Amino acid sequence: RSSPKPIHAYEDYSNDALEALAHSDPIACLVLGRRLAVTDPETAWDLMIRSSALLGGDTRPVKWLATHSFNQVTDNGEMATDAMQLRYVLDALTRRLDNDPDPTFDFREYHLRDALNDAEFARLDRMVDSLLHKMKVIEAETTGSSTIGGAG
């Protein structure tokens, strides 16, 4: 029996080859970001944000990262507040890009309200603003203009 066919030809590329393409290729960013999500989450974060920016604000790379890299419950069943904060930032980003409410976003905010004060929420919201700005800069530097909405 043969192994499953790769989803994209880039699945067969080395990490070094994908890294060389990632500056301007959103699919290279996506494939490499998925590979690195567990072993190097900070790099995966940057790659998925870049992929989304290069795709004009398409939220699928960010949603994948949020879903696969930031488990909200610890092994003992408690809420993982640090991971939930990062998930909150990614969800807020996609919410602003899509202008489409996600009902699970309210669940996370509700649980974070017990752990964070207003100043800490403001810090998270500034992170979202910063990511939106970064995405617009990436798109403009690569394509000459930005079509990404959501303020920031």
Side-chain angles (χ1 to χ4, degrees):
R1 188 166 205 199
S2 65
S3 60
K5 183 178 178 180
I7 295 172
H8 191 278
Y10 285 176
E11 297 286 342
D12 291 330
Y13 284 39
S14 71
N15 287 1
D16 289 341
L18 290 170
E19 191 174 327
L21 296 170
H23 177 73
S24 59
D25 189 323
I27 305 305
C29 291
L30 182 67
V31 171
L32 185 56
R34 285 180 176 177
R35 280 189 197 165
L36 298 177
V38 173
T39 59
D40 190 352
E42 289 179 19
T43 300
W45 173 290
D46 290 341
L47 287 164
M48 293 305 203
I49 295 298
R50 183 169 201 83
S51 178
S52 180
L54 294 172
L55 291 167
D58 185 318
T59 58
R60 289 176 293 179
V62 177
K63 286 179 179 178
W64 186 93
L65 181 65
T67 302
H68 291 87
S69 296
F70 296 102
N71 192 350
Q72 301 163 78
V73 180
T74 62
D75 291 336
N76 66 4
E78 294 181 15
M79 300 307 282
T81 304
D82 290 345
M84 194 178 288
Q85 288 179 60
L86 295 174
R87 178 72 187 260
Y88 172 91
V89 169
L90 293 173
D91 289 344
L93 177 64
T94 61
R95 205 172 178 178
R96 286 179 55 185
L97 288 168
D98 283 344
N99 198 21
D100 184 22
D102 172 4
T104 59
F105 179 81
D106 297 328
F107 162 80
R108 281 183 281 286
E109 184 174 3
Y110 172 80
H111 283 284
L112 282 174
R113 286 281 167 206
D114 290 337
L116 304 177
N117 61 37
D118 289 341
E120 290 167 316
F121 267 102
R123 177 184 55 81
L124 296 178
D125 290 335
R126 284 191 305 275
M127 286 177 68
V128 175
D129 290 339
S130 176
L131 286 172
L132 274 171
H133 176 75
K134 178 180 180 177
M135 290 174 69
K136 289 177 181 187
V137 169
I138 289 169
E139 186 184 32
E141 287 178 350
T142 308
T143 67
S145 65
S146 179
T147 59
I148 296 173

